[in-house]
Amino acid sequence: MLVTDFNTEVVSAPERFALWEETTNRSHIRNRQRSKNHEDFRARMRLLNLGEVHVSALSLPHLELVRTAKLVQQSDPEMYQINYFLDGGGAVCLDGSSTALRAGDLMVVDSSRPYRGDVRAVPDRWSHMTVQCPRSLLPLPEKTVRRLLAVPISGRSGMGALFTRWLTDLNARAGEFTPADVPTLASVTLDLLASALARCVEAEAALSPDARRRALRAQINAFVEQHLADPDMTPRTIADAHHISLRHLQQLLAEDDTSPAAWIRHRRLERCRLDLTNPRLRARPVQAIAERWGFTNATHFSRLFRATYGIPPRDYRNLPYTARADHRRACG
């Protein structure tokens, strides 16, 4: 399955912490775990399976984690785990040195190195996210990443912020993805992560040209998604925001057989299509949905939508769920 949701409240209070420990030791790097809330451990997790890359969101009250030398010897998947603190805070201890962590921080651990962690969170909301990947998949030398183990990395600005926005968007939109999206999602996640880490140690030169190109494309994708509602977003504004020429932008998108204008139009139409199928937006006029995603001319929007999906937006909204799914598959 692409998305797995887990909640400890499926069992009685005394059994919840044991269920959490058993489940997360299968889904994450294996650790010894303790909690001040072990008598009634209310926690949940959403796991997005991107092949060899796993992205998860976790909601929990308090958790202590210990990766001992014995656990490393017993089982070492040779993976990195990147932790992003959405709320609360914590601490991590590596090689006898302890570091405090706060909301907005990123932190990397290596399954081959013993460590101790403490997570303090606000109950009933996502407290932090993790990314797990084999060391061999991250396009950075191990010696570069080693310098950043258990070091707080800001996810509030620069490339760190771009990476954390990508993670929160992955979690929020997890249900929209299909197995065909997995290779792209995994690649973008790794490239943004590598770029954020490389920037942190001023080691962008360690990235291959191909990785830098993919990271730039991921930045452009994220920028477009964040500004879809702005009717003034144009290929020129995208190029200027990334300090590249319009020709360079056109070349990047040409690799995917599209153009900047066509990509903007496609993403806006897809957002409109999703809103038209959302029962909670049923009362919102079609024109309001179009305007929400940057289409200022209702007639132009209707014509584009029909040309893309073969049916007017109002008629698409009124299709039964199964008919919409069949129609979507037919349109590719």
Side-chain angles (χ1 to χ4, degrees):
M1 291 179 62
L2 203 60
V3 182
T4 302
D5 283 300
F6 164 76
N7 195 319
T8 60
E9 293 186 46
V10 297
V11 297
S12 62
E15 300 175 289
R16 286 171 182 163
F17 187 75
L19 177 62
W20 173 266
E21 191 171 24
E22 177 187 351
T23 302
T24 54
N25 275 335
R26 289 198 305 265
S27 62
H28 288 69
I29 294 172
R30 191 174 173 215
N31 298 292
R32 291 181 180 171
Q33 303 185 46
R34 291 181 297 185
S35 176
K36 297 174 183 177
N37 305 85
H38 70 277
E39 293 181 356
D40 184 8
F41 192 76
R42 296 172 182 266
R44 60 194 173 105
M45 174 175 64
R46 175 177 296 154
L47 180 65
L48 181 58
N49 185 344
L50 304 178
E52 292 187 277
V53 179
H54 289 179
V55 178
S56 57
L58 303 101
S59 171
L60 49 86
H62 168 262
L63 192 64
E64 293 179 19
L65 303 160
V66 182
R67 176 112 176 126
T68 65
K70 184 176 181 180
L71 285 175
V72 173
Q73 292 172 353
Q74 290 176 343
S75 173
D76 182 12
E78 299 186 352
M79 300 184 76
Y80 291 128
Q81 183 182 94
I82 296 82
N83 299 273
Y84 169 44
F85 287 79
L86 289 158
D87 213 334
V92 62
C93 183
L94 179 71
D95 297 333
S97 178
S98 183
T99 303
L101 299 159
R102 61 193 180 99
D105 283 344
L106 291 159
M107 184 270 297
V108 185
V109 295
D110 185 337
S111 67
S112 299
R113 301 278 297 276
Y115 57 82
R116 182 186 299 270
D118 186 271
V119 178
R120 301 180 302 277
V122 178
D124 301 323
R125 47 182 159 173
W126 297 121
S127 54
H128 72 288
M129 296 188 67
T130 68
V131 177
Q132 293 190 139
C133 67
R135 290 199 300 256
S136 59
L137 284 188
L138 190 65
L140 276 176
E142 287 188 26
K143 64 179 181 180
T144 299
V145 182
R146 201 175 301 133
R147 296 166 56 187
L148 295 172
L149 294 180
V151 173
I153 299 168
S154 176
R156 295 173 288 275
S157 62
M159 287 302 301
L162 183 61
F163 177 61
T164 56
R165 283 197 298 270
W166 170 258
L167 290 185
T168 53
D169 207 36
L170 277 181
N171 181 48
R173 299 185 176 282
E176 298 176 15
F177 303 127
T178 69
D181 299 320
V182 165
T184 298
L185 296 175
S187 177
V188 171
T189 301
L190 291 173
D191 289 334
L192 284 178
L193 170 61
S195 191
L197 297 182
R199 180 69 61 86
C200 188
V201 293
E202 298 181 350
E204 286 185 298
L207 291 171
S208 69
D210 190 48
R212 284 198 295 273
R213 179 190 58 76
R214 293 197 306 267
L216 175 59
R217 177 60 197 272
Q219 292 176 50
I220 290 168
N221 286 353
F223 181 89
V224 169
E225 294 296 321
Q226 291 159 20
H227 293 83
L228 283 176
D230 181 2
D232 294 325
M233 180 176 63
T234 65
R236 171 59 67 186
T237 59
I238 297 170
D240 290 347
H242 294 86
H243 310 292
I244 60 175
S245 68
L246 184 57
R247 179 171 175 78
H248 189 181
L249 176 65
Q250 292 167 338
Q251 290 172 336
L252 277 172
L253 272 72
E255 295 174 7
D256 294 326
D257 296 322
T258 189
S259 68
W263 179 248
I264 295 169
R265 185 168 59 249
H266 166 71
R267 293 308 304 150
R268 283 177 170 156
L269 285 169
E270 275 294 283
R271 289 296 186 95
C272 290
R273 185 186 66 80
L274 288 171
D275 279 2
L276 289 170
T277 64
N278 188 337
R280 290 176 296 181
L281 301 179
R282 185 73 184 176
R284 182 171 295 180
V286 171
Q287 184 175 347
I289 288 175
E291 290 176 351
R292 181 188 184 192
W293 297 114
F295 290 107
T296 57
N297 185 303
T299 303
H300 178 62
F301 164 70
S302 184
R303 187 165 56 247
L304 283 175
F305 192 97
R306 183 167 188 167
T308 303
Y309 303 112
I311 187 173
R314 196 177 310 278
D315 293 348
Y316 185 83
R317 166 182 263 178
N318 293 328
L319 285 174
Y321 173 80
T322 53
R324 281 201 305 263
D326 292 342
H327 188 274
R328 183 75 183 113
R329 284 192 293 269
C331 290

